[in-house]
Amino acid sequence: MLFAEISKDLIAAMKARDAVKKDTLSMLKSKLKAKAIEMRVEEIDDGNALVVLQKFIKELEDEYAQFNNVGRVDKAEALKAQLEIAKVYLPQLMS
């Protein structure tokens, strides 16, 4: 499941002391847990997790665009790194 994979990768990021990956996956995991609580289920299924992931990526893309427009390159680069981490969990499109 997507939630379990994110949890496993979060633990690995903590052990590797990868701050950007840890922060990104931590935010994503909290959004997934919040959705599970909202739905009153113990663990969120992959379909709903994917919806939360897509919304999370959209939020990051919007923030990235805003910081890029106002010239905050440092913040934009940090968000770009978070976007790359989050997009790893999207399913691959068939060609």
Side-chain angles (χ1 to χ4, degrees):
M1 290 192 62
L2 186 59
F3 184 79
E5 183 181 347
I6 290 170
S7 297
K8 178 182 63 96
D9 290 349
L10 175 60
I11 292 169
M14 284 188 227
K15 288 180 180 178
R17 300 194 193 286
D18 185 347
V20 175
K21 190 170 188 176
K22 178 189 74 81
D23 292 344
T24 303
L25 294 178
S26 180
M27 284 188 293
L28 181 54
K29 186 176 176 182
S30 70
K31 288 183 181 291
L32 290 169
K33 280 186 176 182
K35 183 66 173 179
I37 291 169
E38 179 186 313
M39 294 173 55
R40 292 190 169 100
V41 294
E42 207 165 302
E43 196 169 307
I44 192 167
D45 60 81
D46 281 351
N48 287 316
L50 186 58
V51 170
V52 172
L53 175 61
Q54 289 170 335
K55 185 176 178 184
F56 179 68
I57 289 173
K58 177 71 172 137
E59 289 171 3
L60 288 176
E61 287 172 341
D62 290 345
E63 286 181 50
Y64 174 75
Q66 288 175 352
F67 282 121
N68 240 0
N69 289 339
V70 295
R72 293 290 309 265
V73 179
D74 55 331
K75 290 280 191 180
E77 290 303 314
L79 285 168
K80 187 174 184 178
Q82 289 181 337
L83 268 168
E84 290 173 7
I85 292 167
K87 285 183 177 180
V88 168
Y89 299 98
L90 285 174
Q92 298 297 317
L93 297 175
M94 296 178 75
S95 56

